[in-house]
Amino acid sequence: DAMVIQNPRYQVTQFGKPVTLSCSQTLNHNVMYWYQQKSSQAPKLLFHYYDKDFNNEADTPDNFQSRRPNTSFCFLDIRSPGLGDAAMYLCATAKLAGEKLFFGSGTQLSVL
Amino acid sequence: AQSVAQPEDQVNVAEGNPLTVKCTYSVSGNPYLFWYVQYPNRGLQFLLKYITGDNLVKGSYGFEAEFNKSQTSFHLKKPSALVSDSALYFCAVRDRTGGFKTIFGAGTRLFVKA
């Protein structure tokens, strides 16, 4: 089935050690999103791509970077994770502006 | 700037009773409006959306929502709640003039008691 896949499901990293989360999609959607969600709070938009056009939220820390090498893949890089970056990271896709988002199952990041 | 408010952290209903989960929004233009549901340790699942047309939209699992432009609200409803409806519900908005940016409300936890 077409879907949004996030790997790994759980990721443990050390304070200050770079970590990369990955997302892939078989839906051929133009738009990909990264959200951060803490403890059942509102998913917070970090950035999104429309094709290769990158849109960063004004309050997304510089510590967070993203890459989208092709339509199918998108990566979230956290250059120096802090304890406050422990969260669920959700990847989502959408085809058009009025269309629903398709979410992956998320990656739960722990920072030790 | 666009924003979404879900005024209730939690809603408790008895099984078989109607339920309402409230949502109000603020956008500079006309909105796309969505409801999503989240079960523990999972991603969000789409329930329904309002794009244009009929103010009452029907979605998955018997849920519906009513768009009220004058009150800038998009409340989620179901005529008869099930225990299995217990989950976290998120309202989301996208400004038609704002590209693809989608903002979520803080979420409302629904408890349905048998």
Side-chain angles (χ1 to χ4, degrees):
Chain A
D1 291 344
M3 59 178 62
V4 181
I5 302 168
Q6 291 189 244
N7 286 306
R9 183 70 179 86
Y10 299 94
Q11 175 73 56
V12 180
T13 190
Q14 293 179 342
F15 183 94
K17 184 176 181 179
V19 64
T20 295
L21 310 182
S22 69
C23 177
S24 64
Q25 55 131 337
T26 59
L27 298 162
N28 202 34
H29 284 173
N30 300 105
V31 191
M32 293 188 78
Y33 303 80
W34 279 107
Y35 287 88
Q36 179 194 64
Q37 187 182 27
K38 295 184 177 182
S39 301
S40 299
Q41 297 176 17
K44 178 182 180 300
L45 181 62
L46 296 174
F47 19 63
H48 72 279
Y49 284 90
Y50 175 68
D51 290 335
K52 285 194 173 290
D53 183 19
F54 177 70
N55 297 271
N56 195 34
E57 291 302 297
D59 59 354
T60 298
D62 293 339
N63 195 28
F64 290 82
Q65 303 287 319
S66 185
R67 297 170 283 136
R68 189 180 186 187
N70 54 53
T71 299
S72 300
F73 287 88
C74 195
F75 300 97
L76 171 61
D77 301 308
I78 308 176
R79 293 191 293 187
S80 181
L83 298 179
D85 297 328
M88 173 75 85
Y89 290 87
L90 297 168
C91 175
T93 71
K95 185 173 183 180
L96 297 172
E99 295 299 319
K100 65 183 181 183
L101 271 62
F102 290 78
F103 281 86
S105 295
T107 294
Q108 183 68 50
L109 177 68
S110 299
V111 182
L112 304 179
Chain B
Q2 56 200 70
S3 65
V4 182
Q6 293 182 242
E8 302 155 316
D9 291 336
Q10 184 171 309
V11 170
N12 299 310
V13 298
E15 188 174 34
N17 283 1
L19 69 88
T20 298
V21 183
K22 296 179 180 178
C23 172
T24 59
Y25 65 90
S26 175
V27 297
S28 57
N30 292 317
Y32 297 118
L33 295 160
F34 305 84
W35 276 100
Y36 292 83
V37 60
Q38 186 177 34
Y39 297 99
N41 300 314
R42 300 294 301 275
L44 279 67
Q45 298 176 34
F46 170 79
L47 280 178
L48 49 79
K49 67 179 179 181
Y50 172 80
I51 303 298
T52 188
D54 194 348
N55 289 343
L56 183 66
V57 294
K58 295 185 182 297
S60 306
Y61 313 119
F63 284 93
E64 58 188 28
E66 186 167 12
F67 171 63
N68 188 316
K69 187 173 183 178
S70 63
Q71 297 183 5
T72 60
S73 67
F74 189 57
H75 301 331
L76 180 69
K77 300 180 180 183
K78 187 173 182 180
S80 179
L82 299 172
V83 172
S84 57
D85 293 331
S86 299
L88 190 56
Y89 290 81
F90 290 99
C91 182
V93 64
R94 188 182 308 154
D95 189 336
R96 293 172 194 257
T97 61
F100 296 94
K101 180 174 177 176
T102 302
I103 300 300
F104 286 81
T108 298
R109 188 166 296 281
L110 174 67
F111 285 102
V112 182
K113 185 176 181 180

